[in-house]
Amino acid sequence: MNAPIIDPLQGDFPEVIEEYLEHGVIKCVAFNHRGSLLAAGCADGGCVIWDFETRGIAKEIRDSDCSAAITSVSWSKYGHRLLVSAADKSLTLWDVSTGEKIARTILQQTPLQARLNPGLSSPSLCLACPLSSAPMIVDFDIDCTTLLPVSVPEMPDVLAPPQRSKCPESNPPFSPAAACFNKCGDLVYIGNSKGEILIVDYKSVRVLALVSASGAAPVKNIVFSRNGQYLLTNSHDRTIRIYENLLPAKNVLKSLEDLGKNIDGLDGIEKMKTVGSKCLTLFREFQDSVTKMHWKAPCFSGDGEWVVGGSACKGEHKIYIWDRAGHLVKILEGPKEALIDLAWHPVHPIIVSVSLAGLVYIWAKDYTENWSAFAPDFKELEENEEYVEREDEFDLIPETEKVKVLDVNEDEEVDIDTVEKDAFSDSDTSVEELRYLPAEPIPDTNDQQDNLVESIKLIEGQISASPASEEAGQNGHHASSPQAEEMGETRGKRKRKPSEKAMELQAEKAKPLKGSGKTVRAKNRAAFDQETDDSINGGDDDDDAYY
Amino acid sequence: MAEEVPATASFTPYVHSQTLTSHIRAVSSVKFSSDGRLLASASADKTIRTYTVNTENDPIAEPVREFTGHENGISDVAFSSDARFIVSASDDKTLKLWDVETGSLIKTLIGHTNYAFCVNFNPQSNMIVSGSFDETVRIWDVTTGKCLKVLPAHSDPVTAVDFNRDGSLIVSSSYDGLCRIWDSGTGHCVKTLIDDENPPVSFVRFSPNGKFILVGTLDNTLRLWNIASAKFLKTYTGHVNAQYCISSAFSVTNGKRIVSGSEDNCVYMWELNSRKLLQKLEGHTETVMNVACHPTENLIASGSLDKSVRIWTQKKE
């Protein structure tokens, strides 16, 4: 809706670190569908959800049973559910708005990555990729895990035997693989250790197609773009490959079956390969030919125009941005801490990167002041222009001011009600999307209320918003120091030196304020833990009947 | 009693239904909650009052709660989207966040260096925007009460602030004659709307679809501007507004209308597209400072310097 008045060139890529978020040691992040909430998993087993607009904590989710580091977080399509996988081999499904646990299973190995089915509005089906075995589908409803095939067997007419069991009895072969759902959640694309991509129908556990890659290097990550048109694989041969998805968006299974039927005279692997070539074509390959580095956590931008990948070298925090045509457009360098996770905001040109130290850095565009926004008749010029005066420029009463024609047609119909259709056309409007968590204001404590009078007097003495900046540290929300000067009005005030009297008052106020702030937060967390405890104990019985 | 101006056959005039005299000084702001069940009024007597609204009952509005705590008169009040909280802006330079159910004070937002004049929640109700006599617009985080951004908005007192329907834009108006539109996420100015003449702007708000803004200026004029083209499309005159910051509202429950207060003690109602004056509601004995339209029923509430809040409904057939 505000597209017509906001500069269209803004849909670019970020350039500088805007700020960083802190909450314990963060291990992984995920944006919800609209980018209004950011979920992050911590090393201590808890999850935190930030309201990305206010950069404040909206919710904390903690399972008292789990204290192992979180390995991945995944949102359901409409943001109602959150899937969390942890290092103690567990997968937990949470309801976001209530903060209650819906289901939990323990797997045989630690899942490195777990993704909820993106096609369903309340999914209880997810894909888990463990470190040392085949990817599996975990169904929370019937509490069953299904292993997916990672390779097509050599025998032409034997399909991979379905292995459906509560816990697999035979040890599956060690073949690390990466997997992801396609956009509507009908198919699973698996990248195996031979560099091949298998398209699998997980319901029948059949491999439908096979695409082989040029290098035979194991695939480490496989990710779809948001619109489902492009697929990205990150391989052990330090190359990121982009494939174009040729399958239609809807009725994918049927199209694949049709493709299979049309091919005569081929069986087994050859048939799979032919079908595969009709599903995906290699579009581009990216690699850093200079340093030949491994890539970590590559993904697409929200609109699929850019590809971003983090460098997997220890001790440096570099983010590479390519456009889809393959040109490297930017290298973002952060502080000297290794990068462990990366996410691009679904809508805005913002990147969020997680460093080894557990901090979440937010990268955004460097803002250049748009002066013509402040004065509409102000025009910014690219270069000096020769000014040619009007004929009546120096007249006492210029011609142009004499006649003021009001050329507004006031009789035209004005429509104040209709709203344009949402630009997010991939949202099904029948399902209510969880975009925001309701804000719960933290009540002021008595100390803070007593200090009010003092604060107001302080403000009269100086212009800077000192009480506000004191509380800034409480929410784990900081402006990164090199950028503070560039922030100008919004944050630069913190740097102004208060008068001596003010500093005294501040020093004496600082202790109780900070202390009370921390107690308030600790109280809240304790209260919240209480709630979660109660809900865990009480909720277990209703878990199965929950959906 | 309401004076009827010759109008179209389909227009049913509004009549006075109730007078609420809970306040002991001038009423500065009246607002309906988004579910229409509550009405809030703020006053120079340092209190805010809430009333339940039920069109089936007679009287329609019943006083429920009084919110005390401000040290000086209050200029504006706003409901959160779920009607759980109200925020008030006061001459004591603070904004206070109250719990509607219990009437207790939850938070005090400090930061403005002069009278806080206008305030609004965003539709997600996780942010509050406020305008002040200190010429700035501030955006606050509801959860922590922290000031997220200070926008160097104007060069004169800021008279009104409003969010659009998805919370992405903020419009602010000021005595310096400008209306500015800001991106609420980044705090950057997106547009400035100014005409050749720039009389002080006393009030501004977004239309329900966020494409137009209704601007009241202190030259007895109300204008409807198209934001994208930065041109005004409609002008409404006939009322008196040269001194006070009088608010106006869109009435969409029964045909598209503009309702406004006036310094000649009446509530004016125009038809939006034809700009024809439909009705002048008489009853107040002093300037009508603000009006609010119920979101679903044909109900108007007006607050005045005569310390009363009046409720107007459509005459029953």
Side-chain angles (χ1 to χ4, degrees):
Chain A
M1 183 205 325
N2 48 357
I5 52 175
I6 288 193
D7 188 3
L9 289 178
Q10 266 191 12
D12 261 354
F13 48 84
E15 288 157 11
V16 287
I17 292 184
E18 192 178 53
E19 57 189 311
Y20 66 91
L21 304 173
E22 189 177 1
H23 189 268
V25 177
I26 304 287
K27 288 280 171 204
C28 48
V29 286
F31 276 107
N32 69 342
H33 188 65
R34 297 230 173 207
S36 51
L37 298 169
L38 179 69
C42 309
D44 59 1
C47 271
V48 61
I49 299 180
W50 272 288
D51 177 333
F52 204 64
E53 283 187 356
T54 60
R55 308 280 161 89
I57 292 181
K59 212 169 197 93
E60 285 181 50
I61 293 179
R62 179 168 291 278
D63 187 349
S64 51
D65 297 334
C66 170
S67 53
I70 305 289
T71 51
S72 81
V73 281
S74 162
W75 290 89
S76 69
K77 181 164 185 193
Y78 295 110
H80 296 287
R81 297 186 174 194
L82 194 68
L83 179 71
V84 171
S85 65
D88 60 355
K89 308 179 192 170
S90 65
L91 275 181
T92 319
L93 187 63
W94 296 88
D95 180 312
V96 176
S97 44
T98 57
E100 287 182 13
K101 189 162 58 164
I102 301 176
R104 184 187 156 100
T105 55
I106 311 274
L107 302 173
Q108 289 258 304
Q109 282 106 11
T110 299
L112 283 185
Q113 212 201 64
R115 294 275 171 267
L116 278 173
N117 187 326
L120 310 172
S121 52
S122 299
S124 50
L125 197 75
C126 69
L127 177 66
C129 304
L131 173 63
S132 52
S133 80
M136 56 184 80
I137 295 277
V138 178
D139 190 337
F140 285 102
D141 275 340
I142 50 182
D143 198 15
C144 137
T145 51
T146 316
L147 280 180
L148 294 175
V150 286
S151 56
V152 179
E154 294 306 313
M155 302 295 289
D157 41 17
V158 170
L159 298 169
Q163 297 183 19
R164 215 180 280 269
S165 46
K166 278 239 171 210
C167 46
E169 275 123 10
S170 57
N171 276 337
F174 179 94
S175 49
C180 71
F181 277 108
N182 72 339
K183 182 165 168 222
C184 36
D186 304 349
L187 298 172
V188 174
Y189 284 65
I190 301 178
N192 66 8
S193 53
K194 291 188 245 161
E196 296 161 341
I197 301 177
L198 283 83
I199 303 179
V200 175
D201 170 16
Y202 64 86
K203 291 201 182 78
S204 58
V205 198
R206 278 186 314 138
V207 181
L208 295 176
L210 179 74
V211 178
S212 44
S214 35
V219 174
K220 296 198 295 186
N221 304 95
I222 183 167
V223 161
F224 259 99
S225 73
R226 193 194 165 92
N227 55 10
Q229 281 187 326
Y230 295 96
L231 180 70
L232 173 159
T233 60
N234 178 19
S235 314
H236 205 73
D237 63 353
R238 307 151 204 233
T239 312
I240 294 179
R241 291 183 177 82
I242 309 286
Y243 293 85
E244 200 171 326
N245 183 12
L246 302 168
L247 293 173
K250 306 240 162 72
N251 295 327
V252 176
L253 275 176
K254 186 152 183 324
S255 321
L256 266 181
E257 298 288 351
D258 290 345
L259 278 175
K261 276 188 223 137
N262 290 341
I263 298 173
D264 293 326
L266 286 174
D267 275 329
I269 295 190
E270 288 310 312
K271 178 169 170 182
M272 304 272 183
K273 282 193 180 157
T274 323
V275 176
S277 62
K278 296 207 186 342
C279 304
L280 286 178
T281 47
L282 182 60
F283 189 64
R284 281 283 177 275
E285 286 187 5
F286 301 137
Q287 54 188 303
D288 188 339
S289 37
V290 174
T291 53
K292 291 238 174 288
M293 62 173 67
H294 284 277
W295 303 109
K296 199 165 176 82
C299 60
F300 283 99
S301 71
D303 53 5
E305 282 300 315
W306 314 98
V307 176
V308 66
S311 96
C313 301
K314 287 213 175 2
E316 67 175 13
H317 194 97
K318 277 197 184 155
I319 300 173
Y320 285 65
I321 306 180
W322 297 269
D323 67 8
R324 226 173 42 222
H327 308 121
L328 179 66
V329 288
K330 192 98 183 151
I331 301 179
L332 301 175
E333 278 203 53
K336 298 271 172 237
E337 299 156 359
L339 184 135
I340 54 176
D341 200 6
L342 199 62
W344 192 303
H345 192 281
V347 180
H348 299 306
I350 294 179
I351 289 178
V352 157
S353 67
V354 183
S355 74
L356 194 60
L359 296 173
V360 177
Y361 292 98
I362 301 177
W363 300 79
K365 277 188 77 65
D366 204 4
Y367 177 65
T368 48
E369 196 78 52
N370 178 15
W371 299 109
S372 48
F374 281 96
D377 52 356
F378 190 88
K379 205 174 60 151
E380 289 185 35
L381 300 174
E382 290 295 332
E383 53 181 24
N384 289 340
E385 272 180 23
E386 193 70 39
Y387 180 62
V388 179
E389 293 115 32
R390 284 191 327 263
E391 192 59 44
D392 56 0
E393 176 91 28
F394 297 107
D395 287 357
L396 275 173
I397 308 166
E399 203 57 48
T400 46
E401 276 184 30
K402 279 195 204 149
V403 177
K404 245 191 168 171
V405 176
L406 212 64
D407 54 356
V408 180
N409 178 9
E410 292 219 354
D411 290 325
E412 266 181 58
E413 287 286 310
V414 168
D415 183 4
I416 57 164
D417 263 340
T418 48
V419 182
E420 272 154 16
K421 192 171 174 277
D422 214 341
F424 269 48
S425 54
D426 58 349
S427 308
D428 180 10
T429 46
S430 61
V431 179
E432 177 78 36
E433 198 177 318
L434 185 87
R435 289 198 219 184
Y436 300 95
L437 290 171
E440 296 291 336
I442 302 167
D444 285 342
T445 57
N446 284 332
D447 289 343
Q448 286 172 320
Q449 291 193 2
D450 286 340
N451 285 326
L452 269 190
V453 177
E454 286 177 42
S455 323
I456 297 176
K457 290 205 188 116
L458 244 189
I459 288 165
E460 281 168 20
Q462 40 161 156
I463 311 170
S464 67
S466 40
S469 67
E470 287 207 348
E471 292 181 40
Q474 286 180 4
N475 211 17
H477 169 215
H478 317 260
S480 64
S481 27
Q483 308 307 321
E485 271 127 61
E486 293 176 43
M487 285 295 127
E489 236 95 16
T490 53
R491 305 218 195 273
K493 291 201 169 141
R494 242 185 277 160
K495 292 207 151 184
R496 214 176 294 197
K497 268 192 129 73
S499 63
E500 273 196 25
K501 176 122 201 302
M503 303 230 323
E504 269 175 21
L505 266 172
Q506 267 194 33
E508 109 195 354
K509 203 167 50 82
K511 285 214 182 103
L513 249 190
K514 276 218 155 83
S516 61
K518 285 216 169 80
T519 10
V520 167
R521 201 159 72 127
K523 248 192 263 164
N524 275 352
R525 199 184 291 186
F528 190 89
D529 281 348
Q530 275 255 281
E531 284 172 29
T532 2
D533 282 342
D534 291 341
S535 66
I536 287 170
N537 292 335
D540 276 339
D541 306 300
D542 318 284
D543 267 351
D544 296 321
Y546 195 82
Y547 0 87
Chain B
M1 282 199 301
E3 182 192 287
E4 286 174 44
V5 174
T8 55
S10 57
F11 175 65
T12 315
Y14 277 77
V15 289
H16 176 240
S17 156
Q18 194 182 354
T19 305
L20 299 157
T21 47
S22 326
H23 286 293
I24 53 177
R25 284 188 67 188
V27 176
S28 52
S29 173
V30 289
K31 293 268 172 77
F32 280 104
S33 63
S34 43
D35 56 7
R37 290 183 310 125
L38 290 170
L39 174 67
S41 66
S43 162
D45 67 4
K46 313 178 201 169
T47 66
I48 305 152
R49 287 191 193 248
T50 47
Y51 316 85
T52 51
V53 170
N54 192 337
T55 41
E56 312 294 322
N57 286 354
D58 187 31
I60 293 180
E62 304 263 358
V64 166
R65 223 164 264 302
E66 184 186 358
F67 300 78
T68 47
H70 271 298
E71 295 169 14
N72 221 323
I74 304 173
S75 299
D76 201 6
V77 71
F79 274 102
S80 65
S81 315
D82 50 10
R84 285 174 58 201
F85 308 111
I86 50 174
V87 62
S88 55
S90 162
D91 281 359
D92 64 6
K93 307 178 198 163
T94 66
L95 302 162
K96 285 192 193 272
L97 190 68
W98 312 83
D99 181 316
V100 171
E101 275 297 312
T102 62
S104 56
L105 169 65
I106 305 177
K107 282 191 101 56
T108 302
L109 309 179
I110 314 167
H112 278 299
T113 55
N114 208 327
Y115 311 138
F117 197 70
C118 43
V119 73
N120 245 317
F121 269 99
N122 68 342
Q124 298 87 256
S125 295
N126 57 358
M127 295 205 279
I128 289 171
V129 65
S130 65
S132 159
F133 265 55
D134 67 5
E135 301 165 12
T136 62
V137 169
R138 278 178 189 251
I139 305 180
W140 311 80
D141 176 15
V142 172
T143 315
T144 55
K146 189 161 65 94
C147 178
L148 294 171
K149 292 202 170 57
V150 181
L151 310 181
H154 292 279
S155 48
D156 268 322
V158 178
T159 50
V161 283
D162 191 23
F163 273 101
N164 66 344
R165 69 180 286 281
D166 66 359
S168 55
L169 296 177
I170 293 171
V171 66
S172 67
S173 66
S174 160
Y175 280 154
D176 63 5
L178 304 174
C179 290
R180 289 209 158 116
I181 305 203
W182 310 83
D183 177 320
S184 56
T186 56
H188 299 142
C189 180
V190 170
K191 204 150 198 152
T192 300
L193 299 170
I194 187 169
D195 200 12
D196 291 331
E197 309 270 313
N198 52 342
V201 182
S202 55
F203 183 74
V204 74
R205 81 186 296 154
F206 274 104
S207 67
N209 64 358
K211 293 197 198 151
F212 306 97
I213 51 174
L214 184 63
V215 179
T217 44
L218 290 184
D219 61 351
N220 314 310
T221 317
L222 263 171
R223 287 209 169 92
L224 191 69
W225 285 72
N226 177 326
I227 300 173
S229 66
K231 295 246 178 306
F232 63 89
L233 301 172
K234 304 273 178 194
T235 310
Y236 306 93
T237 51
H239 63 300
V240 181
N241 185 3
Q243 208 182 344
Y244 295 103
C245 288
I246 292 182
S247 72
S248 36
F250 289 93
S251 164
V252 296
T253 46
N254 187 3
K256 309 274 183 290
R257 311 212 182 121
I258 303 281
V259 182
S260 171
S262 166
E263 285 155 18
D264 63 4
N265 314 346
C266 301
V267 175
Y268 280 70
M269 188 179 333
W270 295 267
E271 226 231 281
L272 185 116
N273 276 311
S274 67
R275 290 134 36 229
K276 192 155 50 177
L277 179 63
L278 292 173
Q279 198 178 356
K280 269 171 67 167
L281 300 167
E282 289 176 15
H284 279 292
T285 53
E286 286 206 41
T287 301
V288 179
M289 290 291 287
N290 41 74
V291 289
C293 295
H294 194 279
T296 48
E297 304 282 338
N298 297 324
L299 201 66
I300 296 176
S302 59
S304 160
L305 290 184
D306 66 6
K307 310 170 198 153
S308 71
V309 173
R310 280 174 201 253
I311 310 277
W312 314 80
T313 52
Q314 284 205 301
K315 193 164 23 181
K316 304 261 188 284
E317 298 293 296

